[in-house]
Amino acid sequence: MGQSVKPISSPVPDEWYPTLAVFMLAIGLVVTASFFIYEATSSRKNRSLAKELTTGAVASVFLVC
């Protein structure tokens, strides 16, 4: 019962939030652009579902966070 309780804190400093937001948004938009370029330039027979799902998931992670 004598344990000290530590307050919950962010893993990154508050000052980094705007910079991280811009970088993550930029990375997400670049991955999204590469997804659209892949879809526009590849034929239906040459597309890979695994690559599409992976690229979409990576873009989603960066754009949501």
Side-chain angles (χ1 to χ4, degrees):
M1 292 284 242
Q3 298 175 348
S4 63
V5 178
K6 294 183 180 179
I8 298 173
S9 63
S10 174
V12 295
D14 291 343
E15 299 83 30
W16 290 10
Y17 284 173
T19 306
L20 286 176
V22 169
F23 279 130
M24 292 186 75
L25 183 63
I27 292 169
L29 290 176
V30 167
V31 175
T32 301
S34 70
F35 176 80
F36 283 123
I37 291 169
Y38 174 75
E39 290 294 321
T41 58
S42 63
S43 66
R44 286 185 177 232
K45 294 179 183 178
N46 293 336
R47 290 183 186 164
S48 169
L49 181 61
K51 183 172 182 176
E52 291 178 12
L53 291 175
T54 303
T55 307
V58 170
S60 295
V61 166
F62 279 106
L63 290 173
V64 169
C65 294

